[in-house]
Amino acid sequence: MKKHRFLIAIILVFIGGIVSANAQSNTSNNKEITSLIKKKRAYNKLNGTGYRIQLYNGLERTAKSLRGRFRVEFPGVYTKLSYTEPEWKIQVGNYKTRLHADRALNKIREKFSGAIVVPL
């Protein structure tokens, strides 16, 4: 009697798994979803997504001197000095992925220990 119940339970679990697998494999190619994905990719190309490395956040005089020092140490790397009340920020580089930003951060931290990666 217990063997029959156990066998029935196993068969029901097996059938439930097959039904569940079939339900997940039935996907439709919806044109609206494909259109939204294309729009999102176009938006990302135009507006850009990615990361920068922030060297400093604080006083104007210190920010400008660190920016000059960075330009000497790493010529050719994009630098951005911005003011967001009440502090000045120095952000450098334009990196598409966090991995690229982290690799650059390792080199920059040798000279600028307080640097961090920030999203755009």
Side-chain angles (χ1 to χ4, degrees), residues 8 12 37 43 50 59 72 79 86-87 91 105 108 110-111:
I8 291 172
L12 289 175
I37 291 171
Y43 175 83
L59 300 174
V72 170
T79 60
E87 298 174 328
Q91 295 179 346
L105 179 65
I108 291 173
E110 293 173 5
K111 307 275 181 170

Side-chain angles (χ1 to χ4, degrees), residues 1-49:
M1 186 73 159
K2 287 185 178 183
K3 289 182 182 179
H4 292 295
R5 287 183 185 173
F6 182 72
L7 185 60
I8 291 172
I10 290 180
I11 291 172
L12 289 175
V13 168
F14 182 72
I15 291 172
I18 291 173
V19 170
S20 175
N22 285 338
Q24 292 177 3
S25 67
N26 292 336
T27 58
S28 61
N29 290 333
N30 193 340
K31 292 180 182 180
E32 292 176 3
I33 293 173
T34 310
S35 170
L36 285 174
I37 291 171
K38 287 180 183 179
K39 287 179 183 178
K40 175 67 174 159
R41 288 182 181 159
Y43 175 83
N44 287 343
K45 284 182 182 179
L46 290 175
N47 297 316
T49 57

Side-chain angles (χ1 to χ4, degrees), residues 56-68:
Y56 180 74
N57 185 24
L59 300 174
E60 178 182 9
R61 185 179 310 144
T62 309
K64 288 183 177 181
S65 70
L66 278 175
R67 182 183 190 195

